[in-house]
Amino acid sequence: MFAGKRITVSAIRRKNNAIEYYEERKVSRPVLQKLKKIPFVRGTVALIEAASVGNKHLNFASDRLDVHPDDDGEIESTEKTSKMAMIFGVAAVGVFAFLFGNILFTAIPVFIAELFSPIFPGHVGQNLLEGFFKFLILVGYIYLITFLPLIKRVFQYHGAEHKVINTYEAGKPLTVENVQEHSRLHYRCGSSFMLFTVIIGVMIYLLIPFDNIIERVVHRLLLIPVVLGVSYEVLQGTNKLRNIPVLKWLGLPGLWLQLLTTKQPKDDQVEVSIASFEKMLEREKTLEEEEKVGGRIV
């Protein structure tokens, strides 16, 4: 999936080898547009928007996984009859994922660190140990799911997306050969964002004292928007500084994590990513021209 200023586009390869596209126009909401201009707030807004749009693209792809185009009528029928169920299903999964994520990456590291309080006592020691366990959980989880064939394929497409972006930013023609020569790592990746939340979280938590473990967990939950907001700004900053000697090293931790969340793609996967990116550029140009025509006074 690739996102432009006005539209997001994803491409999938069907069983008959044809490439099919899904497009989602970006809706301009005045309140959100204002929030996205506020530093440390725009990160949370961007994350929510990305999750919402990404869900739609994933539904499109998963509904057509291993389904021949000749059977698309069944997909459309199912989508119409179960639309309400799907909405509630996605909402339930979203709530569960949110709660599970908070327990996994917030409460569990806190309790594990508390077990080692006799060895690592004090506010600073406990915070550093908590961050260490969060890092282990994050990396361990990603490492384990890479053994799932479907996840490995997703990570290959993830690598293909990065290669396409890197090739485009280098000003090279988007051919399979050119794309494969470029890195599968990129500074703006969401994987880097995940790691930054762990690192930034430790720094912010050091500023907030706690008297007991319950208070500590509550603090962590309340500070989630703050950690997300600061992490987003750091991610954007490392991307802007990536061509400056010495300062470019600030983004290396995120790039190292991408060694797990991206895999070397096959040529046919690169072809799909190129097609998706070029379709996005094409649609962006068309929509821009339509806006210019619509804005003219006749």
Side-chain angles (χ1 to χ4, degrees):
M1 183 188 82
F2 291 96
K5 184 179 179 181
R6 301 167 182 82
I7 196 169
T8 56
V9 178
S10 60
I12 60 173
R13 190 183 294 278
R14 303 302 301 274
K15 293 194 75 174
N16 63 351
N17 211 37
I19 294 178
E20 188 172 334
Y21 302 94
Y22 175 77
E23 303 175 2
E24 184 72 23
R25 284 286 300 272
K26 290 186 176 182
V27 180
S28 179
R29 297 181 175 87
V31 175
L32 292 182
Q33 293 303 315
K34 290 180 180 179
L35 290 176
K36 284 196 287 187
K37 294 179 180 179
I38 304 175
F40 305 109
V41 173
R42 57 190 176 189
T44 302
V45 176
L47 185 64
I48 294 173
E49 275 194 325
S52 175
V53 174
N55 240 348
K56 296 176 182 178
H57 285 268
L58 283 174
N59 285 335
F60 169 80
S62 60
D63 286 343
R64 287 154 182 78
L65 181 67
D66 291 333
V67 176
H68 196 279
D70 293 341
D71 300 322
D72 279 358
E74 297 179 9
I75 296 176
E76 294 174 2
S77 176
T78 302
E79 287 176 344
K80 291 178 181 178
T81 56
S82 62
K83 186 175 182 180
M84 190 59 67
M86 182 186 72
I87 292 173
F88 283 111
V90 170
V93 170
V95 171
F96 175 78
F98 178 76
L99 294 175
F100 181 75
N102 283 334
I103 293 172
L104 182 62
F105 294 111
T106 302
I108 292 179
V110 169
F111 286 111
I112 296 177
E114 181 69 19
L115 295 176
F116 292 87
S117 58
I119 305 174
F120 299 94
H123 180 65
V124 175
Q126 280 291 291
N127 274 310
L128 293 176
L129 193 61
E130 178 188 337
F132 173 71
F133 284 123
K134 281 186 178 181
F135 174 77
L136 287 184
I137 291 173
L138 175 64
V139 174
Y141 172 75
I142 295 174
Y143 176 73
L144 289 176
I145 65 175
T146 59
F147 289 100
L148 299 174
L150 183 59
I151 298 299
K152 180 181 178 181
R153 185 169 177 79
V154 170
F155 285 174
Q156 285 177 312
Y157 273 110
H158 189 195
E161 290 173 350
H162 286 182
K163 282 174 171 283
V164 168
I165 290 294
N166 284 327
T167 306
Y168 178 77
E169 291 180 342
K172 300 290 184 65
L174 292 177
T175 64
V176 173
E177 294 76 15
N178 285 344
V179 170
Q180 287 286 32
E181 290 176 356
H182 284 77
S183 173
R184 71 177 200 266
L185 312 180
H186 198 280
Y187 274 81
R188 288 195 303 270
C189 178
S191 303
S192 300
F193 179 75
M194 288 191 295
L195 185 57
F196 281 137
T197 60
V198 175
I199 298 173
I200 298 300
V202 171
M203 296 179 181
I204 292 176
Y205 300 155
L206 285 172
L207 304 175
I208 311 295
F210 56 86
D211 295 324
N212 55 67
I213 193 169
I214 301 301
E215 185 178 296
R216 183 175 169 185
V217 172
V218 171
H219 284 168
R220 302 299 186 260
L221 294 176
L222 293 176
L223 287 170
I224 286 176
V226 178
V227 173
L228 292 177
V230 176
S231 299
Y232 180 82
E233 299 302 326
V234 172
L235 178 67
Q236 297 300 310
T238 56
N239 180 60
K240 294 176 181 177
L241 300 173
R242 60 178 173 169
N243 294 319
I244 301 177
V246 181
L247 294 180
K248 68 179 182 180
W249 303 108
L250 294 173
L252 281 184
L255 295 180
W256 291 336
L257 186 61
Q258 290 178 44
L259 293 174
L260 287 178
T261 62
T262 64
K263 298 296 180 185
Q264 178 62 31
K266 300 176 182 177
D267 286 350
D268 63 328
Q269 293 171 322
V270 169
E271 288 177 355
V272 174
S273 292
I274 291 174
S276 177
F277 187 71
E278 290 182 332
K279 174 64 74 170
M280 184 273 292
L281 293 179
E282 175 190 324
R283 294 290 291 127
E284 278 288 318
K285 184 177 180 180
T286 300
L287 292 172
E288 182 181 6
E289 291 174 351
E290 290 177 358
E291 289 177 2
K292 289 180 179 179
V293 172
R296 289 177 185 169
I297 300 176
V298 181

